[in-house]
Amino acid sequence: MKHWLWSIIALFSLLTAAAGPYVVREGDDWRKIRFDVTKIREGSILDFGKALNHHRPAGKYGFLKVVGDHFEFEKLPGVKQRFFGVNLSEASSIPPKEDAALLAESIARAGYNSVRLHHYDNLIVRKDGGSTTELDPEKIDRMDYLIKQFKDRGIYVTLDLYCSRIVSDRELPEVFHPVGHWNYKNAVYLVDSARENFLAFAKNFMTHKNPYTGLTYAEDPVFCFISTLNENRVLADWNPKNHGARGWQWEGLFVEWCKKAGIPKEKQSDLRFRQRFLQDFQKKHSAKMRAALRAIGIRTPLTDQNNGPEPLLNLTRLNNDYIDMHYYIGHPEITGDNWRPPVKCRQAGWVELFQEEDAYSNKLGGSRICGRPYTLTELKWCKPLKARGEGGAISGSLAGFQDWDALYTFQWAWGGKDYMKESWGGYFDLYGDPISYLSDRMIHLLFLRGDVAASKVSATLVMPKDAAGIDPEVKALPRLCNALMLVAKLGNSTRVPADGSYYWHLGSKPSEQKLVRQLEGAPVGGKGVFDPRNCHFISSTGELELIGKENLFRVAAPRSEALVFVGTGAGKADVLSVENRTPYSTFFASSMDGNELRNSRKILFFHLNNAAHTGMTFGDESMELLNSYGNIPHLVRRAAGEVALNLGAGGAPKVYAVNLKGERLGEVASTFADGLLKFTADTAGLNGEAVLVYEIIR
């Protein structure tokens, strides 16, 4: 019977897909919502700006430094620091001065305590035929003024010293032209003039005095940490046949290194020796680069190689003060021109991808190195992914449990001036996506505020000290990293942990199997469950749970709870329970008065599903092929669920629907008996406007 039923459903899906394009239009399925990131009302439940008061102005406690596996400020010893930021890319990193204060205030009210200035470097250098290491006075003045606005609001700044600066033929005549990003990054390693070009820009940039602060960038502790070359993967991407990436020069250096090391020619084809060469080369290069940047006066922690899952990079990253990575879910596959549609977007969220054999998440926790701070300076569940409402609940809770040090959403905006008004945005832009914007508030509460407890139980991937000990055929970190991230604090090291905590050796099946038996044999840390056969995992703290068979992820911390659904059905955390009617829905409740959720008198509640633009067009209802981006107004997918909150003793709460300015739209019908508050969360909304946010008061 079931066989025939599913056959009919599959046939219906095929016929529907063949019916033609799917156009998002206002109606029963999609409801209009007003969304402008610059209009958050001060003091409203969506104004998170007061959380930054302790650090106004940013830098008041001196420079950030690395202490063990975390950050601390010089003048605030013993206090671990976390950062939750957002990227400002291209033109939005140097806005007109008349926009800077509003931009900084909007970012502050959204709850970010840091920004990453990204792809700024090609915009702030001279374009009049001079050297691209010289700053453009008008453009750097814009950046100076913006940084002052951030500093005044307690917002710290990070950046990469190279992202996309276009170098002229005259500056680097011996480098292939045009000098693309990857070619330049290789050249910095291999060509003296390119390395000098990079350092000349770094010196001009960091020793430039900001007239609005009276400090050079190198002197200003508003800069928390700095990366050298953005997404520098050249050591993992080296291919002797790729002459465009200077493969011939890498090959020559390798042969020279082999001669000094006494490795005969007939053995030089062994990739293990190449790995050892790259490890040795990176160590020496990092030492030179670090010394040169310190000589400029840069005092912040430094890093490099912030992308790539290859195990080799776990060893070459050991030269960095902290470890940085980038991570995306639903990143668009560009099939058109210059990021314009058509684009493909696989409609599978983290909960589904987690259960696949090639789970992309393996690199997320496995790239963290024990004893070093860990940051993600690009993090995104991308539009038009239906499941992107889950991003804040999952990444925020994992980051808190793993005790990471910084998360940066990609991105607030790319360029132009649309980000200063209600607009449609792009695949990544927060200003054009109410779902991502609200989802990030969960990260603020779960991670930055610290609602999710850090694991006291650790698991270590033991790496060989010598890169030659890594099997060259292994191109990614073990899948076990993915599962372990849910039950214990995960990292890698070249040493077996001395405290007897969980560990296994890279490439050793026996040690991996032994660890799995240990984890399955007894509760992890007293509360954790490790059951990969049934895809059921509970964190060592008991606060996080993934139930694979139900496609459900839950967070149950004292002040915040979340339920992430892939499909429909019932779910329960502790205080929060939901009967969900719509796939890809996330429900989140958080205390906003300092009390535990059960006893809170002011609760912020999110109900997130999907949002799109009027006229957004897809190949079919699966929404896996985007053909047209559409335009405002924003539309929210109709979704609903029956919500219950098991609250402590007290008067009957009132439930208010809230718009995206933080203003109450009106009271929502609810019941309250024996401490149980019940109401229907329905994005259809009130007064003709969709609702994603609720304020519960008693």
Side-chain angles (χ1 to χ4, degrees):
M1 184 69 176
K2 287 184 179 180
H3 172 75
W4 286 106
L5 177 62
W6 283 112
S7 296
I8 292 169
I9 292 172
L11 178 61
F12 177 78
S13 298
L14 287 172
L15 291 173
T16 302
Y22 177 68
V23 183
V24 176
R25 295 189 178 96
E26 186 176 359
D28 290 341
D29 291 337
W30 295 90
R31 299 300 176 92
K32 183 170 62 178
I33 196 166
R34 308 303 302 186
F35 176 54
D36 184 339
V37 292
T38 68
K39 297 293 192 298
I40 303 302
R41 184 168 62 82
E42 185 176 6
S44 71
I45 196 162
L46 289 180
D47 179 9
F48 282 25
K50 289 183 180 179
L52 311 184
N53 285 346
H54 182 52
H55 285 272
R56 296 177 192 251
K60 65 188 289 186
Y61 297 114
F63 278 95
L64 196 69
K65 62 179 182 177
V66 172
V67 179
D69 57 357
H70 293 295
F71 295 121
E72 292 181 8
F73 286 112
E74 293 173 316
K75 299 177 183 178
L76 208 59
V79 181
K80 177 177 64 179
Q81 300 297 324
R82 285 180 175 174
F83 298 88
F84 177 40
V86 65
N87 282 254
L88 285 172
S89 299
E90 280 274 347
S92 64
S93 65
I94 53 166
K97 291 168 72 172
E98 61 268 23
D99 294 336
L102 180 57
L103 175 59
E105 184 62 26
S106 300
I107 288 172
R109 292 189 186 183
Y112 303 103
N113 70 342
S114 187
V115 294
R116 179 180 182 233
L117 303 181
H118 192 46
H119 286 290
Y120 66 91
D121 48 337
N122 195 50
L123 301 182
I124 64 168
V125 294
R126 296 175 68 101
K127 304 293 186 181
D128 56 4
S131 170
T132 63
T133 65
E134 297 176 12
L135 304 179
D136 180 300
E138 190 269 333
K139 298 296 177 55
I140 196 64
D141 185 64
R142 289 190 193 183
M143 181 175 283
D144 290 340
Y145 190 73
L146 180 64
I147 288 172
K148 177 64 163 67
Q149 302 306 311
F150 288 137
K151 188 179 179 78
D152 288 347
R153 290 167 175 79
I155 298 173
Y156 293 86
V157 178
T158 185
L159 45 79
D160 301 84
L161 292 173
Y162 176 82
C163 286
S164 49
R165 181 168 54 92
I166 299 175
V167 181
S168 68
D169 294 12
R170 185 178 64 257
E171 289 178 277
L172 300 179
E174 67 274 62
V175 178
F176 293 114
H177 290 279
V179 183
H181 301 173
W182 291 112
N183 200 7
Y184 185 88
K185 294 170 192 177
N186 265 280
V188 168
Y189 275 88
L190 300 170
V191 182
D192 289 342
S193 61
R195 187 161 48 253
E196 290 165 3
N197 177 276
F198 169 81
L199 291 172
F201 170 81
K203 182 176 181 179
N204 290 342
F205 181 64
M206 295 301 296
T207 61
H208 157 77
K209 180 168 285 189
N210 184 337
Y212 306 103
T213 64
L215 300 171
T216 68
Y217 287 0
E219 294 169 337
D220 196 340
V222 72
F223 291 93
C224 47
F225 35 77
I226 289 176
S227 171
T228 53
L229 303 171
N230 177 56
E231 296 197 344
N232 169 19
R233 286 173 39 91
V234 293
L235 294 186
D237 291 338
W238 168 39
N239 179 350
K241 297 179 181 179
N242 185 359
H243 292 283
R246 306 191 71 81
W248 57 272
Q249 195 162 2
W250 279 113
E251 191 71 11
L253 290 172
F254 171 65
V255 171
E256 182 181 342
W257 176 86
C258 286
K259 290 179 180 178
K260 292 180 179 178
I263 299 170
K265 188 173 183 179
E266 60 271 17
K267 292 187 177 182
Q268 291 177 18
S269 60
D270 188 337
L271 295 179
R272 294 176 186 269
F273 289 126
R274 294 175 183 268
Q275 291 176 168
R276 182 184 292 166
F277 157 70
L278 290 172
Q279 181 185 26
D280 183 58
F281 186 95
Q282 175 66 23
K283 184 176 182 179
K284 293 174 181 176
H285 170 82
S286 292
K288 291 179 182 178
M289 187 67 73
R290 176 184 302 275
L293 293 173
R294 295 299 185 213
I296 289 171
I298 298 176
R299 295 176 57 188
T300 69
L302 296 169
T303 197
D304 191 21
Q305 298 179 289
N306 52 12
N307 194 23
E310 293 83 359
L312 170 63
L313 295 176
N314 278 3
L315 297 181
T316 59
R317 289 184 180 121
L318 282 167
N319 305 297
N320 300 325
D321 295 328
Y322 67 101
I323 310 306
D324 185 32
M325 287 293 290
H326 295 166
Y327 183 72
Y328 291 82
I329 292 284
H331 195 292
E333 299 176 34
I334 307 304
T335 59
D337 176 49
N338 195 27
W339 292 86
R340 288 188 288 269
V343 302
K344 294 179 181 178
C345 177
R346 186 185 173 197
Q347 292 292 351
W350 184 88
V351 173
E352 295 159 292
L353 293 173
F354 181 94
Q355 300 175 62
E356 297 185 359
E357 285 300 318
D358 59 345
Y360 180 58
S361 303
N362 294 356
K363 77 169 188 178
L364 192 55
S367 296
R368 186 237 199 104
I369 294 178
C370 300
R372 307 287 168 88
Y374 185 66
T375 70
L376 291 167
T377 54
E378 291 185 25
L379 173 69
K380 190 65 177 183
W381 270 246
C382 307
K383 193 165 64 177
L385 182 69
K386 296 177 185 178
R388 66 189 183 281
E390 71 181 22
I394 291 170
S395 60
S397 60
L398 283 177
F401 175 66
Q402 288 295 322
D403 204 11
W404 293 338
D405 300 280
L407 300 181
Y408 287 77
T409 293
F410 192 87
Q411 58 192 353
W412 185 272
W414 181 259
K417 291 196 67 172
D418 283 349
Y419 60 91
M420 301 303 296
K421 62 182 181 181
E422 185 171 20
S423 189
W424 56 270
Y427 309 104
F428 313 105
D429 297 333
L430 281 176
Y431 76 89
D433 184 15
I435 301 299
S436 296
Y437 179 79
L438 294 176
S439 185
D440 267 15
R441 302 302 178 90
M442 301 184 206
I443 300 178
H444 175 105
L445 296 165
L446 297 170
F447 170 67
L448 188 61
R449 191 171 77 173
D451 286 7
V452 169
S455 177
K456 295 181 179 179
V457 179
S458 297
T460 304
L461 170 61
V462 181
M463 302 287 300
K465 292 182 180 179
D466 184 349
I470 299 174
D471 183 350
E473 296 301 315
V474 177
K475 305 299 183 184
L477 294 165
R479 176 166 166 74
L480 182 58
C481 292
N482 207 22
L484 278 171
M485 194 169 55
L486 282 168
V487 298
K489 181 179 178 179
L490 177 64
N492 70 82
S493 175
T494 57
R495 298 178 181 178
V496 172
D499 61 2
S501 58
Y502 298 107
Y503 71 91
W504 84 109
H505 292 271
L506 178 71
S508 170
K509 277 293 180 185
S511 72
E512 182 174 318
Q513 292 166 353
K514 179 182 177 182
L515 174 59
V516 170
R517 289 194 297 269
Q518 283 182 277
L519 293 164
E520 291 176 329
V524 180
K527 297 181 180 180
V529 171
F530 185 83
D531 183 5
R533 291 180 182 85
N534 294 300
C535 194
H536 183 210
F537 303 93
I538 299 177
S539 67
S540 61
T541 60
E543 293 182 348
L544 313 184
E545 182 176 20
L546 175 65
I547 309 171
K549 287 185 175 180
E550 298 178 20
N551 273 325
L552 179 69
F553 181 81
R554 59 180 285 276
V555 181
R559 288 191 292 182
S560 292
E561 297 190 5
L563 291 168
V564 174
F565 294 89
V566 172
T568 60
K572 188 178 187 308
D574 184 7
V575 174
L576 171 67
S577 57
V578 174
E579 184 70 41
N580 176 46
R581 301 182 199 164
T582 314
Y584 292 122
S585 291
T586 295
F587 299 83
F588 177 80
S590 187
S591 170
M592 301 301 286
D593 63 0
N595 295 313
E596 291 190 358
L597 180 61
R598 186 179 302 277
N599 301 313
S600 178
R601 305 186 70 82
K602 184 177 183 179
I603 296 171
L604 174 63
F605 190 89
F606 291 148
H607 171 211
L608 304 183
N609 184 264
N610 193 11
H613 315 129
T614 301
M616 204 170 189
T617 304
F618 297 87
D620 55 48
E621 201 165 354
S622 72
M623 302 177 78
E624 293 202 335
L625 180 65
L626 173 65
N627 287 322
S628 175
Y629 228 94
N631 215 320
I632 56 173
H634 298 281
L635 302 176
V636 169
R637 184 73 168 88
R638 179 74 187 274
E642 302 302 322
V643 177
L645 290 166
N646 189 10
L647 304 175
K654 290 189 175 183
V655 181
Y656 295 96
V658 174
N659 65 20
L660 297 188
K661 296 179 183 179
E663 301 167 336
R664 293 177 183 175
L665 292 170
E667 189 173 353
V668 175
S670 64
T671 63
F672 185 70
D674 299 322
L676 192 65
L677 172 67
K678 294 183 177 181
F679 67 96
T680 299
D682 189 337
T683 60
L686 294 176
N687 306 323
E689 183 165 355
V691 171
L692 303 172
V693 184
Y694 299 83
E695 184 176 6
I696 301 170
I697 300 292
R698 67 170 178 170

